[in-house]
Amino acid sequence: MTLLPVPTTAIIVVAAGSGTRLGADAPKAFVGIDEHSVLRHALKGVFAAAPAQVIVVAPAGHEGVAETELREAAGDRGELCRVVVGGDTRQQSVAAGLAALWGDITTVLVHDAARALTPAAQINAIASAVTADFGVIPALTVIDTLKRVDADAVVAAVDRSELAAAQTPQGFPRALLEAAYDSARASGVEYTDDAALFAAAGFQVRHIEGAASAFKITIPADLERARHLIAGPVAAGPIIPHVGIGTDVHAFGGDGNLWLAGLEWPGEPVLSGHSDGDVVAHAIVDALLGAAGLGDIGQHFGTAHPEYAGAHGDVFLARTREILLEAGFTIANVSVQFQGNRPRFSGRRAEAEQVLRAALGGAHVAISATTTDGLGFTGRGEGIAATAVALVYPIR
């Protein structure tokens, strides 16, 4: 038997949620992704990280199943593990985990079992970043255009540069976290996560970059996404590429500056449209959606989606890439040509390709421009048209 050193870090894995929105017959943590449950996959990342005391907080009546999952995932780290019963709220469940900490623990990580694919590197990074004075959370940059709404009315835009999407594990110095929980218990306030509770007690929280794979399994689509990612490549049979074609046309008209191929063109005539009128970006969106058989730009970004009013092309492309990934497709390359008398494009071609490539997660993008020798509405200078061809592959 290998004797393990007593760790100074503990990970509380909260697995006491009901999972109502998942529509399953069992608590969410015990729903199967493949042959293993959500909890088992979460623990796989936990035990791939540096050794720590691991406390699983399970719903009442499921302690035995949780204990089995924990012991099987722990391997030779079984002596570092424990299962406790959660409370009626997430806050009560974490408090139950805190009560089970060993005396040597100085750093506490609180992790949602529902973030089943969180990489071990993220767990280690959070544990390393915590100090005696502040907590640390992983967070992702918000790429979607956000709107404040009231019922079905869009009230105002929200500055996404000030926002980040929080993930777990969230790490804290033990003494301050326990003090924060004492304060919350006294006030009777329930917080949405531990960082909010910690900050409400007057303590500082910082953030580091999170991981896309650490998404939370909340609804059935999230579960399917996790299953697809875990399944990985399928060896049998060739991978057949899918090809899509997209076109877009916008007339000149409106206020502000022209947006084309992801770039702003000050002093050029503006294209009118529901968003920024970027025909190049919009043609690419249609080509990608068509290649994957996922509808068209109007279905996903049209006037029925007021949150995209005024949004720029990079937002459309980034969201389209997410839609394809969720459906099991990866982007190979895109070629797009726009027809118009202006702007003069060749000097900014490389810049535009770089912007669009970044929005599509690094996929190859090639852009060309041409005139129509005075023919048609583009030749008469009434607007710009674009045609795109996209190649995507199903992810195996």
Side-chain angles (χ1 to χ4, degrees):
M1 179 178 179
T2 303
L3 293 178
L4 297 173
V6 177
T8 58
T9 297
I11 303 176
I12 299 173
V13 181
V14 184
S18 65
T20 303
R21 284 176 290 177
L22 196 60
D25 296 331
K28 177 166 52 178
F30 303 101
V31 172
I33 296 180
D34 48 11
E35 68 271 22
H36 296 305
S37 67
V38 170
L39 175 59
R40 181 65 176 274
H41 280 283
L43 292 172
K44 180 179 179 180
V46 167
F47 287 108
Q53 182 190 7
V54 178
I55 301 167
V56 172
V57 185
H62 295 268
E63 307 95 303
V65 179
E67 185 76 33
T68 299
E69 296 278 40
L70 181 57
R71 296 296 170 182
E72 290 181 355
D76 60 4
R77 295 192 198 175
E79 61 190 77
L80 303 179
C81 304
R82 181 176 176 185
V83 173
V84 299
V85 178
D88 294 332
T89 66
R90 184 183 188 281
Q91 206 159 295
Q92 292 174 2
S93 293
V94 176
L98 289 173
L101 295 175
W102 292 335
D104 298 286
I105 299 300
T106 58
T107 298
V108 180
L109 275 57
V110 182
H111 188 34
D112 290 337
R115 297 186 185 273
L117 305 188
T118 301
Q122 178 159 304
I123 297 171
N124 286 334
I126 292 294
S128 298
V130 174
T131 73
D133 301 314
F134 59 81
V136 181
I137 68 170
L140 292 178
T141 301
V142 175
I143 62 172
D144 289 332
T145 296
L146 302 177
K147 301 291 184 180
R148 183 173 289 107
V149 299
D150 182 5
D152 62 351
V154 176
V155 177
V158 178
D159 183 2
R160 66 185 178 194
S161 67
E162 299 178 352
L163 303 176
Q167 297 182 324
T168 69
Q170 300 183 351
F172 310 92
R174 175 183 181 173
L176 298 189
L177 183 61
E178 290 178 332
Y181 262 83
D182 288 341
S183 177
R185 189 179 301 109
S187 69
V189 177
E190 290 285 333
Y191 295 92
T192 56
D193 72 353
D194 298 282
L197 180 149
F198 193 79
F203 305 128
Q204 185 178 4
V205 181
R206 299 181 181 177
H207 72 89
I208 62 174
E209 187 66 21
S213 61
F215 64 93
K216 189 174 183 179
I217 298 174
T218 302
I219 59 176
D222 300 325
L223 187 60
E224 288 306 310
R225 179 183 176 190
R227 286 170 174 162
H228 176 78
L229 291 173
I230 289 171
V234 177
I239 300 177
I240 307 299
H242 295 227
V243 178
I245 298 175
T247 62
D248 196 45
V249 178
H250 283 285
F252 289 123
D255 300 320
N257 291 324
L258 171 69
W259 283 85
L260 186 69
L263 302 179
E264 187 175 18
W265 300 80
E268 292 289 343
V270 182
L271 292 169
S272 64
H274 169 60
S275 56
D276 63 356
D278 187 337
V279 294
V280 169
H282 297 177
I284 293 174
V285 168
D286 257 343
L288 289 168
L289 292 172
L294 297 173
D296 56 29
I297 192 170
Q299 176 182 339
H300 295 277
F301 303 100
T303 54
H305 298 275
E307 66 271 22
Y308 291 107
H312 294 308
D314 61 332
V315 173
F316 280 46
L317 294 171
R319 177 56 187 150
T320 300
R321 176 175 174 264
E322 290 181 349
I323 293 170
L324 263 67
L325 283 173
E326 291 165 2
F329 290 92
T330 186
I331 302 169
N333 73 287
V334 174
S335 177
V336 59
Q337 181 185 79
F338 73 84
Q339 301 87 44
N341 296 339
R342 56 191 307 174
R344 293 188 176 276
F345 184 70
S346 59
R348 301 187 72 185
R349 183 195 316 276
E351 181 185 0
E353 290 177 345
Q354 182 177 359
V355 168
L356 300 184
R357 190 176 297 128
L360 292 176
H364 180 73
V365 177
I367 313 172
S368 62
T370 187
T371 65
T372 56
D373 290 334
L375 300 176
F377 82 96
T378 58
R380 293 191 298 271
E382 298 172 3
I384 299 176
T387 301
V389 179
L391 183 70
V392 306
Y393 284 95
I395 302 171
R396 292 288 186 87

